[in-house]
């Protein structure tokens, strides 16, 4: 037996040939992302088999475009872009009728962040925008054709989220002084918020999700944990606050991932024309979609017959007849189909990475590991193809957040590692989203404690099962995962042979104090609740005791640190200070700074540079292929 041929880092991380396709409202065209000058840009093409060649409609040769959407006017398309990863998103408009017209920045305010609150209807949308005060997101109405912005609700200082009905009614979520989440109506006559209902804030460390106004504007669909461990979908009356169950799964939470990652499809599937609820996504080992509309149930059955992957990005025309669907799959990423429910016909539109042979890639297998205190840790194990799964070098890959989760599907980094001969283990440690609120809250006060024990228990399991060589174990992660890597080499230095920290936290107090101003007022139910408040001396002392920066003298494990210079979440000082402390001790540390990236590399040359550094570093210390 032998590993398959070495697949280059470039083949894993070059831009996809096409990706993220959505169908136009009239069902005649699709928009998708594809490379232009080595940057992902938006392209448009007709859906008929004899359609003209696709046309590139954006022209950003500096930074890849990642987020776009159709409007209800076939002339306009909008997309979001920031500057070198600073996360100050601006909304840009593209004129599809004038190929030579430059894109127009509809929110041209330096240093401000804008985000649409709903789809464009009747030529307008509502947007959150902090051009008045960098710490406060207000609500504006945006006319797409003219670019006119009009202020319709002013943030009184404690609002952390807005939503808007098609009729123009505005609602807000905000934190109360005792940490509850309050849903309120904006009263434009008095410029005040009128409370509707409260929820236990500790159930929502990253906010209520999902949170969608019903089509008639009289209610809101949201994920509720009231009197239940697993989240269920309820309708809250926007006058009385009465809560009525809409749907639930006996074992699974509503898929929580989209609140953290905007590239993940929203959990509620709605009719494009009416907004009616068609289905709800839940997630366990794999995705489960519950169809709430019989007609959509028939469509879903036919869609799911197209692939053995999970339904990913999904869009239809306004008639609900033609659908464009992509699939999440561990070895065949993003295969995208056109399905016509009227004729029952379907055809493959594209595979984003056609150069990758699924047979050469490694299956991702769900496994359940029991923690030392009895919790079920739902995890994923990926074993290299072509070799005996015994005594392998292991890479423990830790997800970010920590309020996120690993899930089944294609992960280019995991596949790159498996192709180089590593077993890869991803552990959904306590505090990960999607496993009920008891599992979530089991992480309170456990940073560098039981959260880390869960990871170590995962490593011990892999060794006991015979998969992993205990003398060749690496830990790798980004954001919280990067911090976990640093905890690994300071709190448990004997476990790991090598470690990779990507934009990870080294100093918990400095991290919280340097978060963007817009984020700091909303830490009560996440970082303050789970880790501590640096303005409280007793809590500060505990936070520093849990911070890797105070224990650099314990580090003897080879370490690679990677940092985006424009990271506004985990600032460069988090990595600089750690590296400086190690070098002052004469400890060698590999340090890669990417000058034009933020909290996660986007441009392909930077992504490739990062993973090439990872591959070479791990080969040097664990013995895998480079």
């Amino acid at each position: 037996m032998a590993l398959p041929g070495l697949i280059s880092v470039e083949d894993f991380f070059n831009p996809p040939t096409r990706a993220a396709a959505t169908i136009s409202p009239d069902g005649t065209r699709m928009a998708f992302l594809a490379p232009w000058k080595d940057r992902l840009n938006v392209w448009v093409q007709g859906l008929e088999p004899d359609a003209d060649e696709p046309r590139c409609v954006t022209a950003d040769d500096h930074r890849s475009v990642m987020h776009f959407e159709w409007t209800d006017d076939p002339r306009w398309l909008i997309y979001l872009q920031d500057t070198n990863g600073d996360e100050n998103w601006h909304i840009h408009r593209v004129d599809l009728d004038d190929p030579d017209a430059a894109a127009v920045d509809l929110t041209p305010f330096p240093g401000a962040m804008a985000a649409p609150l709903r789809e464009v209807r009747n030529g307008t949308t509502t947007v959150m925008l902090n051009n008045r005060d960098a710490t406060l997101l207000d609500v504006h109405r945006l006319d797409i054709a003219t670019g006119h912005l009009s202020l319709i609700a002013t943030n009184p200082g404690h609002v952390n989220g807005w939503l808007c009905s098609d009729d123009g009614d505005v609602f807000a979520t905000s934190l109360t002084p005792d940490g509850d989440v309050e849903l309120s109506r904006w009263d434009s006559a008095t410029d005040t918020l009128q409370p509707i209902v409260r929820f236990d804030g500790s159930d929502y460390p990253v906010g209520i999700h999902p949170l969608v106004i019903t089509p008639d504007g009289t209610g809101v669909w949201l994920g509720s944990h009231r009197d239940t461990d697993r989240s269920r979908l309820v309708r809250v009356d926007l006058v009385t606050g009465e809560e009525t169950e809409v749907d639930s799964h006996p074992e699974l939470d509503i898929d929580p991932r989209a609140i953290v990652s905007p590239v993940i499809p929203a959990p509620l599937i709605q009719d494009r024309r009416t907004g009616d609820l068609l289905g709800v996504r839940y997630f366990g080992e794999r995705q489960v979609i519950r169809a709430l509309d019989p007609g959509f149930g028939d469509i879903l059955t036919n869609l799911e017959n197209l692939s053995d992957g999970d339904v990913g990005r999904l869009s239809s025309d306004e008639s609900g007849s033609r659908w464009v669907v992509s699939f999440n799959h561990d070895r065949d990423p993003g295969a995208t189909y056109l399905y016509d429910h009227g004729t029952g016909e379907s055809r493959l539109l594209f595979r984003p990475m056609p150069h990758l042979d699924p047979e050469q890639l490694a299956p991702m297998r769900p496994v359940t590991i029991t923690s030392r205190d009895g919790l079920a840790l739902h995890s994923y194990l990926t074993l290299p193809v072509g070799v005996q799964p015994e005594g392998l070098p292991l890479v423990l890959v830790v997800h970010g957040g920590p309020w996120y989760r690993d899930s089944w599907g294609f992960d280019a980094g995991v596949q790159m590692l498996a192709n180089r001969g590593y077993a890869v283990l991803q552990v959904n440690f306590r505090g990960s989203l999607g496993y009920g609120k008891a599992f979530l809250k089991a992480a309170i006060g456990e940073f560098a404690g039981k959260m880390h024990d869960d990871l170590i228990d995962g490593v011990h399991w892999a060794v006991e099962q015979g998969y992993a060589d205990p003398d060749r174990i690496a830990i790798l992660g980004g954001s919280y995962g990067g911090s976990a890597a640093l905890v690994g080499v300071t709190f448990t230095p004997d476990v790991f042979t090598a470690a990779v920290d990507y934009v990870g936290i080294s100093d918990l107090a400095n991290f919280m104090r340097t978060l963007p101003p817009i984020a700091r007022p909303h830490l009560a139910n996440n970082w303050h609740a789970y880790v501590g408040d640096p303005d409280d001396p007793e809590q500060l002392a505990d936070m520093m005791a849990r911070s890797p920066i105070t224990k650099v003298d314990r580090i003897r494990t080879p370490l690679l640190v990677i940092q985006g210079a424009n990271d506004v979440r985990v600032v460069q000082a988090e990595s600089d200070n750690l590296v400086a402390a190690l070098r002052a001790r004469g400890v060698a540390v590999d340090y890669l700074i990417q000058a034009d990236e933020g909290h996660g590399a986007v441009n392909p040359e930077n992504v490739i540079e990062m993973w090439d550094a990872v591959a070479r570093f791990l080969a040097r210390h664990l013995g895998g292929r480079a």
Side-chain angles (χ1 to χ4, degrees):
M1 301 178 71
L3 289 167
L6 186 70
I7 302 173
S8 70
V9 172
E10 288 80 5
D11 277 348
F12 279 117
F13 295 103
N14 269 328
T17 56
R18 295 186 179 191
T22 59
I23 195 169
S24 62
D26 64 5
T28 64
R29 297 175 291 176
M30 67 173 171
F32 56 91
L33 297 177
W36 179 79
K37 295 190 175 180
D38 204 34
R39 297 290 183 266
L40 288 176
N41 276 269
V42 184
W43 297 64
V44 172
Q45 184 179 28
L47 278 169
E48 301 311 317
D50 58 351
D52 293 338
E53 289 297 307
R55 175 166 64 93
C56 187
V57 299
T58 63
D60 195 326
D61 60 1
H62 180 67
R63 189 166 183 81
S64 289
V65 175
M66 304 301 290
H67 314 289
F68 70 91
E69 63 183 70
W70 293 96
T71 74
D72 61 346
D73 185 330
R75 178 176 179 180
W76 308 117
L77 181 146
I78 60 174
Y79 70 95
L80 302 181
Q81 186 58 287
D82 71 347
T83 302
N84 291 331
D86 66 0
E87 300 189 38
N88 287 324
W89 302 101
H90 287 204
I91 301 171
H92 298 260
R93 184 193 70 202
V94 174
D95 187 345
L96 298 180
D97 288 351
D98 186 353
D100 297 323
V104 176
D105 186 350
L106 298 177
T107 53
F109 307 105
M113 173 196 301
L117 286 171
R118 62 177 179 86
E119 292 182 342
V120 177
R121 294 185 183 274
N122 300 316
T124 67
T125 187
T126 47
V127 300
M128 296 190 297
L129 182 62
N130 63 337
N131 61 321
R132 178 181 62 87
D133 183 327
T135 67
L136 301 174
L137 286 165
D138 301 324
V139 182
H140 298 250
R141 181 174 291 107
L142 172 62
D143 186 292
I144 300 299
T146 66
H148 179 68
L149 278 165
S150 53
L151 180 67
I152 58 176
T154 304
N155 194 327
H158 58 290
V159 170
N160 59 5
W162 296 97
L163 56 163
C164 188
S165 73
D166 290 341
D167 294 331
D169 293 328
V170 177
F171 303 88
T173 57
S174 55
L175 289 180
T176 65
D178 56 359
D180 283 340
V181 178
E182 190 167 68
L183 176 65
S184 305
R185 179 188 298 270
W186 176 257
D187 186 338
S188 57
T190 61
D191 286 348
T192 60
L193 292 172
Q194 303 300 316
I196 299 170
V197 65
R198 283 191 181 191
F199 297 91
D200 183 346
S202 68
D203 292 345
Y204 302 100
V206 287
I208 296 177
H209 184 72
L211 186 64
V212 177
I213 298 283
T214 58
D216 62 7
T218 65
V220 60
W221 291 312
L222 58 83
S224 175
H225 280 282
R226 200 189 302 276
D227 301 322
T228 178
D229 183 60
R230 302 291 180 175
S231 62
R232 58 197 176 101
L233 184 67
V234 302
R235 179 191 180 277
V236 172
D237 188 285
L238 287 170
V239 174
T240 67
E242 181 182 359
E243 184 176 311
T244 306
E245 181 169 319
V246 176
D247 190 57
S248 63
H249 190 285
E251 299 175 355
L252 306 179
D253 274 345
I254 300 169
D255 188 350
R257 298 170 299 158
I259 195 172
V260 178
S261 175
V263 301
I264 300 290
L268 302 190
I269 301 171
Q270 296 176 257
D271 185 282
R272 184 163 192 168
R273 181 179 59 84
T274 66
D276 290 341
L277 188 60
L278 301 179
V280 183
R281 300 177 192 253
Y282 297 86
F283 214 104
E285 292 183 346
R286 297 214 10 208
Q287 178 183 254
V288 174
I289 298 178
R290 287 171 59 95
L292 304 186
D293 174 90
F296 177 69
D298 294 339
I299 291 168
L300 180 62
T301 297
N302 292 336
L303 293 175
E304 290 179 333
N305 286 335
L306 297 175
S307 169
D308 60 352
D310 290 347
V311 170
R313 181 182 289 260
L314 181 64
S315 62
S316 77
D317 62 6
E318 288 194 331
S319 73
S321 178
R322 304 190 94 190
W323 296 76
V324 168
V325 56
S326 64
F327 287 90
N328 297 320
H329 194 288
D330 57 348
R331 291 172 295 118
D332 189 12
T336 300
Y337 295 80
L338 173 66
Y339 167 69
D340 190 317
H341 192 58
T343 65
E345 297 177 348
S346 61
R347 60 184 169 91
L348 178 68
L349 293 172
F350 59 83
R351 293 179 61 231
M353 304 175 77
H355 55 283
L356 294 181
D357 178 1
E359 296 300 318
Q360 301 296 303
L361 301 179
M364 176 184 280
R365 179 159 64 92
V367 296
T368 301
I369 299 165
T370 302
S371 73
R372 66 190 69 180
D373 59 350
L375 290 184
L377 306 175
H378 299 283
S379 309
Y380 295 91
L381 178 68
T382 303
L383 297 172
V385 175
V387 295
Q388 282 294 120
E390 299 173 358
L392 299 168
L394 173 78
V395 181
L396 176 69
V397 176
V398 187
H399 69 69
W403 303 282
Y404 192 57
R405 60 157 289 171
D406 286 312
S407 53
W408 185 87
F410 182 77
D411 185 313
V414 168
Q415 290 293 340
M416 189 276 288
L417 294 171
N419 179 254
R420 276 143 183 80
Y422 304 108
V424 182
L425 180 64
Q426 297 165 278
V427 176
N428 281 311
F429 48 87
R430 70 193 68 202
S432 300
L433 294 179
Y435 298 102
K437 67 182 181 183
F439 187 83
L440 174 72
K441 295 178 183 181
I444 293 174
E446 296 299 339
F447 190 98
K450 291 181 180 178
M451 293 169 73
H452 188 64
D453 289 346
D454 291 345
L455 299 177
I456 301 302
D457 291 346
V459 170
H460 289 161
W461 173 87
V463 171
E464 290 165 2
Q465 296 295 312
Y467 298 123
D469 177 351
D471 295 324
R472 293 188 295 165
I473 307 286
I475 183 170
L476 177 156
S479 193
Y480 172 82
S483 183
L486 297 177
V487 169
V489 297
T490 51
F491 286 74
T492 53
D494 295 331
V495 174
F496 298 105
T497 315
V500 179
D501 156 35
Y502 179 44
V503 295
I505 305 160
S506 65
D507 182 333
L508 288 163
N510 184 67
F511 159 71
M512 292 186 206
R513 288 169 173 157
T514 56
L515 279 167
I518 203 165
R520 283 178 231 161
H522 311 298
L523 300 180
N525 291 319
N526 44 64
W527 288 102
H528 287 174
Y530 282 71
V531 182
D533 183 347
D535 293 332
D536 180 305
E538 185 175 339
Q539 294 182 47
L540 173 61
D542 181 66
M543 291 167 64
M544 296 313 295
R546 297 172 186 271
S547 294
I549 194 67
T550 64
K551 295 176 171 54
V552 291
D553 59 321
R554 299 182 181 178
I555 296 179
R556 56 181 179 270
T557 306
L559 177 63
L560 168 62
V561 177
I562 306 172
Q563 178 70 44
N566 302 312
D567 195 334
V568 296
R569 303 191 200 187
V570 180
V571 297
Q572 186 176 326
E574 289 293 309
S575 294
D576 283 351
N577 294 341
L578 177 84
V579 170
L582 287 171
R583 289 177 174 170
R585 287 179 47 221
V587 176
V589 55
D590 293 10
Y591 191 20
L592 171 62
I593 302 174
Q594 298 190 314
D596 56 348
E597 294 290 357
H599 196 67
V602 170
N603 284 339
E605 69 274 13
N606 294 325
V607 178
I608 290 168
E609 177 188 45
M610 177 182 77
W611 282 104
D612 183 63
V614 169
R616 288 184 284 106
F617 175 81
L618 293 178
R620 193 160 69 245
H621 297 291
L622 264 68
R625 302 192 295 185

